Amino acid sequence: SGRAEMRDIATIHVVGAAILNEGRCLAAQRGPSMSMAGKWEFPGGKVERGEASEAALARELREELGIEAEVGAWLGRGDSIENGNRVCLDVYIAKADCRSMNLHEHAAVDWVSASDLYAPDWAAADVPILPALHAYLTAAPDTHRCRGPVALLAADWGKEPRKRAVYAAERDERWK
């Protein structure tokens, strides 16, 4: 079944940055030496074992673009199957001074606005993030800050009704 196949493949956890500046987001085009060359993505990379996602993202931006970034709120998650592996991408809002950017792996970068967000040929794992980014870019600026705790509920629909689990999380400064 499809579920058994998903469990049998390796998962690669990667992080990406939605670096924002004046209502636009930085997109990076994968270079010729990278897998999926020519596809556009949120810049970032793999999370190393034992490394926090936010720290991995700051490190990857330093290594790939030569920039120091302030990693902010989690924006969303994308999943795809690439070269026989499951790619799980977590994207965070980030701030960075990109004026002295130095591309080490990417072929190009571009600033995309909400109206042009769907124009680039995005990598498969990045595509599910685009609606959340579009909503963020087009929202009123004061809605970007949380007022009070945010609750998240998830249900495990894979079991029969009486055995389903419901998970709850709250966020003030961090998820609990």
Side-chain angles (χ1 to χ4, degrees), residues 16-158:
I19 300 173
L20 305 180
N21 185 11
E22 297 179 3
R24 298 176 303 156
C25 181
L26 184 72
Q29 187 180 38
R30 295 178 69 82
S33 66
M34 301 171 80
S35 65
M36 298 179 294
K39 295 282 189 179
W40 289 82
E41 67 179 357
F42 297 103
K46 293 179 185 171
V47 177
E48 302 294 336
R49 183 180 301 263
E51 187 176 34
S53 295
E54 294 90 339
L57 183 54
R59 175 186 52 76
E60 286 287 347
L61 293 172
R62 200 175 310 112
E63 291 172 2
E64 290 186 2
L65 302 177
I67 59 174
E68 294 297 324
E70 179 185 328
V71 178
W74 179 79
L75 181 63
R77 173 172 281 176
D79 271 305
S80 69
I81 304 295
E82 304 290 339
N83 301 322
N85 294 310
R86 176 180 176 226
V87 176
C88 178
L89 167 69
D90 283 314
V91 175
Y92 294 83
I93 301 294
K95 293 180 189 175
D97 181 353
C98 295
R99 291 176 291 187
S100 61
M101 201 173 350
N102 187 6
L103 305 182
H104 295 282
E105 296 180 9
H106 292 90
V109 293
D110 196 10
W111 291 97
V112 292
S113 65
S115 61
D116 297 326
L117 195 57
Y118 293 93
D121 183 15
W122 291 93
D126 297 68
V127 172
I129 308 301
L130 299 179
L133 179 58
H134 187 272
Y136 191 92
L137 290 172
T138 57
D142 64 341
T143 62
H144 292 163
R145 291 194 188 101
C146 288
R147 291 195 175 99
V150 175
L152 175 69
L153 294 174
D156 179 358
W157 294 102

